[in-house]
Amino acid sequence: MYRIAIEKLYRWKESKRRKLLIIECEKQVGKTWLMKEFGSKAYADLLDRQDYLMITAFKQVCIDALKQVLLCRRHARSGTEFCSR
């Protein structure tokens, strides 16, 4: 089963005309494990754990900065002085 499923995923990945991948199956048969295993082998060069942590941290910094900008705009419109420049 393992080799057949992984081989099908690799064929899907290499296909020039691939479409959205939907995995449907019974509960508790290993869908999540299969995708984690496939992703770690087929896409290992794209993103490792350190990259993921860096991207997550950067995303949070961007969200916090955007919230601050929106809060400053809201206070500027109301006439209250809130933002430090």
Side-chain angles (χ1 to χ4, degrees):
M1 163 94 177
Y2 164 77
R3 284 184 17 167
I4 294 170
I6 289 288
E7 287 172 8
K8 285 183 179 182
L9 288 171
Y10 275 109
R11 282 197 305 267
W12 169 83
K13 180 184 180 235
E14 298 302 322
S15 172
K16 299 280 187 209
R17 301 181 64 206
R18 74 173 176 245
K19 296 183 179 183
L20 178 68
L21 178 65
I22 298 174
I23 298 182
E24 294 180 320
C25 201
E26 298 294 323
K27 289 183 177 181
Q28 302 294 317
V29 295
K31 295 179 297 287
T32 301
W33 177 86
L34 178 67
M35 292 312 299
K36 285 181 179 179
E37 185 73 13
F38 172 68
S40 69
K41 291 189 177 6
Y43 295 100
D45 57 329
L46 295 181
L47 187 68
D48 63 10
R49 179 147 176 79
Q50 188 63 30
D51 290 335
Y52 175 78
L53 293 174
M54 232 171 32
I55 290 168
T56 303
F58 180 71
K59 179 181 169 185
Q60 189 58 51
V61 167
C62 291
I63 290 170
D64 292 343
L66 181 59
K67 285 180 182 177
Q68 185 67 31
V69 167
L70 294 174
L71 190 59
C72 285
R73 285 185 178 175
R74 190 177 316 144
H75 283 279
R77 286 185 188 133
S78 67
T80 60
E81 195 166 318
F82 173 78
C83 302
S84 58
R85 304 210 189 266

